[in-house]
Amino acid sequence: MYGNAYIDPNEKANAMIAGEDPIKLAEFEARIARGEKIEPKDWMPKEYRKQLIRMIEQHGHSEIIGALPEGTWITRAPGFRRKMALMAKVQDEVGHAQLLYSAAETLGKSREDMTNDLITGKSKYSNVFNYPAYTWADACIIAWLIDAGAIINQVANAKGSYGPYCRALDRICTEESFHLKYGHDNVVTLATGTPIQRQMVQEALTRWWPPIMHFFGPSDKISQHSEILMRWKVKMASNDDMRQQFLNMYVPKIWDLGLVLPDPNLKLNEETKKWDYTEPDWEEFKRVINGGGPCNAERLAVRRMAEERGRWVRKALYNATEKYVTPLA
Amino acid sequence: MIKSLDPRVTRENIEENNLIAPLTPMDNWETYEVFHQKKRGDQHMHVGIVHAPNPEMALLFGKEQYGRRSITANIWVVKTANVFASEYDDADMFETTPEKQYREAGGYKVMDKINKYKKANKA
């Protein structure tokens, strides 16, 4: 699971390569254009490094924080098999965070600094996890549709240019396929169950639809997506394109179950072959990502508590003669 | 105090602004490179890193991180600090030139000679 990286829309595209050695830059861009990967010790523009660190780190934070609303349902998941499955899924998410932090680390930001930036609120994580999972059905909708969105994004990013990130994503995507099937199975069970179960899953879907529409980030119309990030294969698809791909794959599956989506304008436009929908409320998105959501405070407070209470164990195991070396790949 | 939908979180009595001392370098220890062998007879493959305070715990974390979801026969861990690697900038040292065909299987065209011999001796 994960979320889309939030890239500052005010970043001026041409400021991004200011001061770079033009010959090295040309070689770097030619390597990417040939479809070759960039490895940690290669020369890279400062902005490439900065954007990748931000993106991979945010992705890692999203996995960690995303495990919180789901983890909360492990003890209350209906039946032993679902408890076991959810536990495995949550463990996967935390493992994904480890893989992503490792990839970001190769770019020179230490894991300690990444954790510091998360717990002080300096780094962002996927906005969807600032919403609560009220019922078991919410946990099912997250497992199906948020993971589905994550897979679309991750499959695209796995074809990006930075070797360590691509390798981490390949591993992650394999594991996500189980999450998606598990989530779908749970939603189908509720949707084909008793009237109360159907109502429960419908209500969860209605609650989660706006965050799901926010998931891929601001519309291309307002998010000035940088041509350079696309050319450097840092960003692999535009926010709107990924949103369209998601709607294309999942709206029919949702409608198949006779569930209703809370957007009267949602339909496939026969002419453009694209989905029409009501523009999501981007002011709400900004408000929540900047700390105003229902769960922002809880998520970070819980993460700080975990860090603080586990600290003595890590300190006890610390060996002062060891030195940190940046990982190789 | 954090009042959560999850009673277990509420019971922890967490202050909302529970500021903690920042992490310092080496709080998450150093890194080990992990090599994973899928089954007996396969090569060990580099799969990534783990942070660990000692080799025993690196093995334990390596098992959880890289052996948890895939078939595994064996795992190695090596301190990142102990790996010596070539530089990508020196990649030209691996280049081979066309006149090194003598050390490639494809540099030996025996069938051409055999066919020529057979043709010549058929007549």
Side-chain angles (χ1 to χ4, degrees), chain A residues 307-319:
Chain A
E307 185 60 38
E308 191 179 32
R309 295 191 186 174
R311 187 167 279 175
W312 69 274
V313 181
R314 287 189 292 275
K315 291 277 186 213
L317 288 163
Y318 169 67
N319 175 351

Side-chain angles (χ1 to χ4, degrees), chain A residues 57 61 101 104 109-118:
Chain A
E57 179 188 349
H61 294 332
Y101 286 150
K109 183 164 182 178
S110 77
R111 192 168 296 204
E112 289 87 357
D113 282 345
M114 288 189 262
T115 304
N116 282 332
D117 287 349
L118 170 67

Side-chain angles (χ1 to χ4, degrees), chain A residues 32-245:
Chain A
I32 292 174
R34 287 195 300 270
E36 288 178 31
K37 303 288 181 190
I38 303 299
E39 294 293 345
K41 286 185 177 164
D42 287 339
W43 181 91
M44 59 186 84
K46 285 189 277 305
E47 200 59 30
Y48 177 84
R49 185 184 300 274
K50 188 179 138 196
Q51 295 287 351
L52 269 174
I53 290 176
R54 173 153 65 178
M55 189 166 143
I56 303 171
E57 179 188 349
Q58 280 182 20
H59 189 168
H61 294 332
S62 302
E63 304 280 354
I64 287 277
I65 299 294
L68 298 177
E70 287 194 290
T72 222
W73 280 96
I74 292 172
T75 54
R76 293 171 286 172
F80 189 64
R81 189 167 189 265
R82 288 193 191 88
K83 284 184 173 61
M84 295 292 281
L86 184 54
M87 204 153 32
K89 177 179 190 303
V90 169
Q91 192 185 17
D92 283 353
E93 308 296 7
V94 176
H96 295 172
Q98 302 287 334
L99 294 171
L100 291 159
Y101 286 150
S102 301
E105 234 176 301
T106 61
L107 290 158
K109 183 164 182 178
S110 77
R111 192 168 296 204
E112 289 87 357
D113 282 345
M114 288 189 262
T115 304
N116 282 332
D117 287 349
L118 170 67
I119 62 184
T120 55
K122 191 178 164 203
S123 289
K124 304 287 181 219
Y125 53 87
S126 182
N127 209 30
V128 288
F129 305 123
N130 289 319
Y131 293 89
Y134 286 108
T135 69
W136 166 246
D138 292 67
C140 300
I141 293 289
I142 295 174
W144 185 32
L145 295 177
I146 299 293
D147 280 60
I151 292 176
I152 288 174
N153 196 289
Q154 287 164 175
V155 166
N157 282 346
K159 298 186 189 77
S161 61
Y162 190 57
Y165 188 36
C166 299
R167 292 190 284 270
L169 287 175
D170 282 342
R171 226 163 229 290
I172 290 171
C173 287
T174 314
E175 298 184 2
E176 293 278 5
S177 56
F178 137 65
H179 302 176
L180 182 68
K181 292 293 265 187
Y182 154 87
H184 193 203
D185 182 78
N186 281 337
V187 169
V188 169
T189 302
L190 292 174
T192 58
T194 65
I196 292 173
Q197 285 176 317
R198 267 192 77 81
Q199 192 192 341
M200 191 165 90
V201 76
Q202 176 62 64
E203 285 172 4
L205 180 63
T206 304
R207 266 194 295 278
W208 278 88
W209 193 247
I212 287 169
M213 289 299 282
H214 284 150
F215 183 80
F216 295 101
S219 158
D220 299 342
K221 281 173 282 193
I222 54 172
S223 158
Q224 166 204 337
H225 77 253
S226 160
E227 219 174 280
I228 283 190
L229 291 182
M230 293 281 239
R231 189 166 79 223
W232 287 349
K233 295 187 186 167
V234 169
K235 194 166 174 58
M236 295 302 288
S238 83
N239 297 350
D240 282 343
D241 285 351
M242 286 189 287
R243 197 161 15 245
Q244 284 292 336
Q245 200 188 334

